[in-house]
Amino acid sequence: MHPALQGIITIIIGVGGCVGYFYFSNQLLDRVLFPATGKNAGRNINRANQIRPWLFLFPAMFALGLYLAYPVFATLWLSLTDRSAGGAFVGLANYTQMFGEPKFWEAMSNNMLWLIIVPAFSTGFGLLAAQLTDRIAWGGIAKSLIFMPMAISFVGAAVIWKLVYDTRPAGKDQIGVLNAVWLSFDGGFFSVLMLKIVPALLLAAFAAFVLWCTYQVARPFIKTEIGPRKSEWWGPPLRLVLALVGIWLVWMALGSIYSLFTATLPYGEPQTWLTIPFWNSIFLMTVLIWIQTGFAMVILSAALRGIPEETIEAAVIDGANPFQIFFKIKVPQIMGTIVVVWTTITIVVLKVFDIVFAMTNGQWETQVLANYMYDKLFRANDWGVGSASAMIIMLLVTPILAWNVYNARKETR
């Protein structure tokens, strides 16, 4: 059968099936189950009207249950069984085996690093791009160029950046942009400026920003607010965790500054960037930041345009400078949108697979949870441990989804 004819038949059957379902289900409801005749006509009409919305919702609920709920329970069951033993129930043995593997903890630590860096930089760069492109005449063109990576698949982006990080033997022309730039440094003042002083200043600025954010988060613990203040029960524990994460990031930034000035850099030698531990994960994160910055920019640009002009004009009249207007007037008003963008990118990060698979395949200490799951399921044929790692990913994503649903209902109320 010709593919076009097959497609037309599929559309006809699909649309006709939906129309037939709604028509005959309504006929069954109105004429057979609850007919609007006799002494109970009024009660039957009310009951039919109560059931009718569920008839319309049933196809969607059935499809969601079939394609979402069933796989979750099936994966949970697989994580508790041993497929090689005929599907025998083994309890938490797969989880125990998984927790005992160094590769799992490597994937967990890398995922945590991705969760800290990628959403923060993607949202930050997107907010900065949204603010700046709205203030220039050719902002539309700039937004199109920044958003363009969103049109590229993750695998396509990985191939592009793999060429950027490409390495050729010493003495040959480098096609990798990063190595071509690296070989231009010779250890002189310019090299020290660009490779040590400038990165140290950026790290110091990052540490200062994180320290300020940590202070804002921990301020209720440091000084008592005037007057009664209502907060959710989970507020203080969350603030404490965020403050500890901030302190850890500041410590890491200061340690990196120290390492920059004490490290001996191999000038003149091409580097295989994707095999350098820790830094190779940063290079992989750069790809996702490059992609997600466009998404963050578009959403945050729409939010910035929705800010009432009266608040900005009032701030200008009061003598506020552009930085004060941005950080104290604009950012607080779009904080809800920033949180939504941040959490959306966080969910993408938890599921990241394509970039790591295409560029390093989890080698050289770049393993992440999704790639670890793929290795276990389809390479090692260990369905138990692979399913257990899938459940871990779901458990990490669930609180973020619940947080988004909670905020959406709160805004609705």
Side-chain angles (χ1 to χ4, degrees):
M1 183 182 295
H2 194 276
L5 181 60
Q6 187 177 4
I8 292 173
I9 293 174
T10 303
I11 293 173
I12 292 173
I13 293 175
V15 175
C18 291
V19 173
Y21 165 78
F22 289 118
Y23 175 77
F24 288 111
S25 62
N26 275 286
Q27 292 298 313
L28 177 67
L29 187 67
D30 293 332
R31 296 180 181 274
V32 179
L33 298 179
F34 301 105
T37 57
K39 61 179 181 179
N40 295 324
R43 185 181 64 181
N44 287 347
I45 291 173
N46 290 332
R47 288 182 177 179
N49 290 335
Q50 290 175 352
I51 295 174
R52 202 180 314 278
W54 295 103
L55 287 177
F56 285 85
L57 289 173
F58 175 75
M61 293 175 64
F62 176 77
L64 287 174
L66 182 64
Y67 291 104
L68 292 180
Y70 171 74
V72 170
F73 289 106
T75 304
L76 177 61
W77 175 250
L78 285 173
S79 71
L80 301 174
T81 59
D82 186 352
R83 195 184 187 196
S84 61
F89 181 78
V90 295
L92 299 177
N94 291 318
Y95 290 90
T96 303
Q97 178 184 339
M98 180 180 66
F99 292 145
E101 293 185 3
K103 269 292 180 181
F104 170 76
W105 293 110
E106 176 190 314
M108 280 291 291
S109 61
N110 283 334
N111 262 104
M112 292 304 106
L113 193 63
W114 281 69
L115 285 175
I116 292 170
I117 293 177
V118 175
F121 279 86
S122 298
T123 307
F125 288 150
L127 182 59
L128 182 64
Q131 173 67 11
L132 295 180
T133 53
D134 284 340
R135 300 175 65 89
I136 55 179
W138 47 280
I141 299 175
K143 285 182 179 179
S144 300
L145 294 175
I146 296 171
F147 187 75
M148 196 175 294
M150 282 292 295
I152 305 173
S153 69
F154 281 12
V155 174
V159 171
I160 293 171
W161 281 87
K162 200 168 184 179
L163 292 174
V164 173
Y165 300 142
D166 185 79
T167 303
R168 295 295 173 90
K172 293 188 176 182
D173 293 335
Q174 301 294 323
I175 66 169
V177 175
L178 192 56
N179 262 316
V181 173
W182 170 257
L183 293 177
S184 66
F185 296 111
D186 57 3
F189 173 76
F190 181 73
S191 301
V192 174
L193 176 66
M194 296 303 298
L195 298 179
K196 292 194 174 185
I197 297 177
V198 171
L201 292 175
L202 292 175
L203 284 169
F206 173 74
F209 174 73
V210 172
L211 192 62
W212 178 80
C213 292
T214 303
Y215 171 75
Q216 296 298 322
V217 168
R219 188 166 59 177
F221 299 117
I222 299 172
K223 61 181 182 178
T224 305
E225 301 287 343
I226 300 175
R229 189 181 179 203
K230 294 182 180 179
S231 62
E232 302 290 345
W233 63 268
W234 42 261
L238 180 61
R239 285 178 177 274
L240 181 61
V241 170
L242 292 176
L244 292 175
V245 171
I247 293 171
W248 176 73
L249 286 175
V250 172
W251 176 256
M252 291 288 291
L254 295 177
S256 299
I257 293 174
Y258 174 77
S259 300
L260 273 174
F261 286 102
T262 57
T264 302
L265 301 178
Y267 296 111
E269 300 175 12
Q271 301 297 306
T272 51
W273 303 105
L274 295 179
T275 64
I276 303 174
F278 178 75
W279 292 106
N280 49 11
S281 293
I282 301 296
F283 295 139
L284 296 181
M285 294 176 207
T286 302
V287 182
L288 191 54
I289 293 172
W290 179 64
I291 295 172
Q292 293 297 319
T293 295
F295 162 76
M297 177 199 66
V298 169
I299 303 300
L300 295 174
S301 178
L304 287 172
R305 289 175 179 270
I307 295 175
E309 287 292 332
E310 293 81 2
T311 59
I312 300 174
E313 292 173 359
V316 172
I317 293 173
D318 288 339
N321 58 48
F323 287 98
Q324 292 173 325
I325 292 173
F326 180 71
F327 286 106
K328 296 192 176 185
I329 304 298
K330 292 185 175 181
V331 170
Q333 293 190 70
I334 63 169
M335 187 54 68
T337 307
I338 292 175
V339 171
V340 170
V341 170
W342 190 298
T343 53
T344 303
I345 297 175
T346 299
I347 294 173
V348 174
V349 169
L350 282 170
K351 300 184 296 182
V352 67
F353 164 75
D354 318 62
I355 294 171
V356 176
F357 179 79
M359 297 185 74
T360 65
N361 197 20
Q363 302 178 83
W364 308 297
E365 301 180 16
T366 60
Q367 188 67 287
V368 291
L369 284 173
N371 197 70
Y372 174 83
M373 177 190 69
Y374 177 85
D375 287 344
K376 288 296 180 182
L377 284 172
F378 303 110
R379 286 203 173 99
N381 287 323
D382 192 341
W383 287 69
V385 174
S387 300
S389 60
M391 295 307 300
I392 294 297
I393 296 174
M394 193 196 74
L395 288 175
L396 292 174
V397 170
T398 300
I400 301 170
L401 294 176
W403 170 262
N404 278 341
V405 172
Y406 171 79
N407 280 337
R409 289 182 176 178
K410 187 177 179 181
E411 289 180 5
T412 302
R413 290 196 298 265

